[in-house]
Amino acid sequence: MIGLLLTIANIAGGILLGLATLDKWDGESNFFNKIAGFLAPFQTIIGGALVILPLFSFWSGLLYNSISMLGGFLLLTHVFGKIPSLEESLHKFSDKLSPFKAIIGIAILIIGILRIF
C-alpha cells in the first residue's frame, strides 16, 4: 500500500517539478500543463508524501528513495518559511537543489513509472 502511494506521489511530483521540460516535449497540446494545473493545489501533500513515504522502505531502494525525498524537499520550499527554527537551513538546501529541479522532476517521474511494473 505504501509502495502504491509512493508511486502515485512520484508520478505527480515528477509532473509538477519537470513541467518546463515536459512542456517542451509536449508541443501544442498542453497536456502536461492541464495535469499540473489540476495537481498544483496538492503540491504540499505530494511533497510531504515524497519526504515521508520513502522513509518506510529507505534501505530497500536507497537511490530511488533518496531522489524521491529530494523531489519532496523541492515541492515543499514554500512551506519552509513557516518553520522558524529550520527556515534558514532548509532554504539553503532548497536553493542548492533548485537548479536541478527539472532533472529531479524527470527522474522521479521515471522512477514512478518504473515502480508501476
Side-chain angles (χ1 to χ4, degrees), residues 17 66-75 77 80 90-105:
L17 289 173
S66 59
I67 293 173
S68 295
M69 290 176 73
L70 290 176
F73 280 119
L74 282 172
L75 285 173
T77 54
F80 293 156
L90 291 176
H91 271 295
K92 286 180 185 178
F93 183 64
S94 65
D95 288 342
K96 289 180 182 179
L97 287 178
S98 63
F100 306 106
K101 184 177 181 178
I103 296 169
I104 293 172

Side-chain angles (χ1 to χ4, degrees), residues 8-10 12-13 16 39 42-51 72 75-76:
I8 294 169
N10 277 327
L16 286 172
L39 293 174
F42 305 105
Q43 180 176 352
T44 305
I45 296 168
I46 295 168
L50 285 174
V51 171
L75 285 173
L76 291 174

Side-chain angles (χ1 to χ4, degrees), residues 6-27:
L6 184 57
T7 300
I8 294 169
N10 277 327
I11 292 171
I15 290 172
L16 286 172
L17 289 173
L19 183 62
T21 305
L22 293 172
D23 191 36
K24 291 177 188 174
W25 293 346
D26 190 21

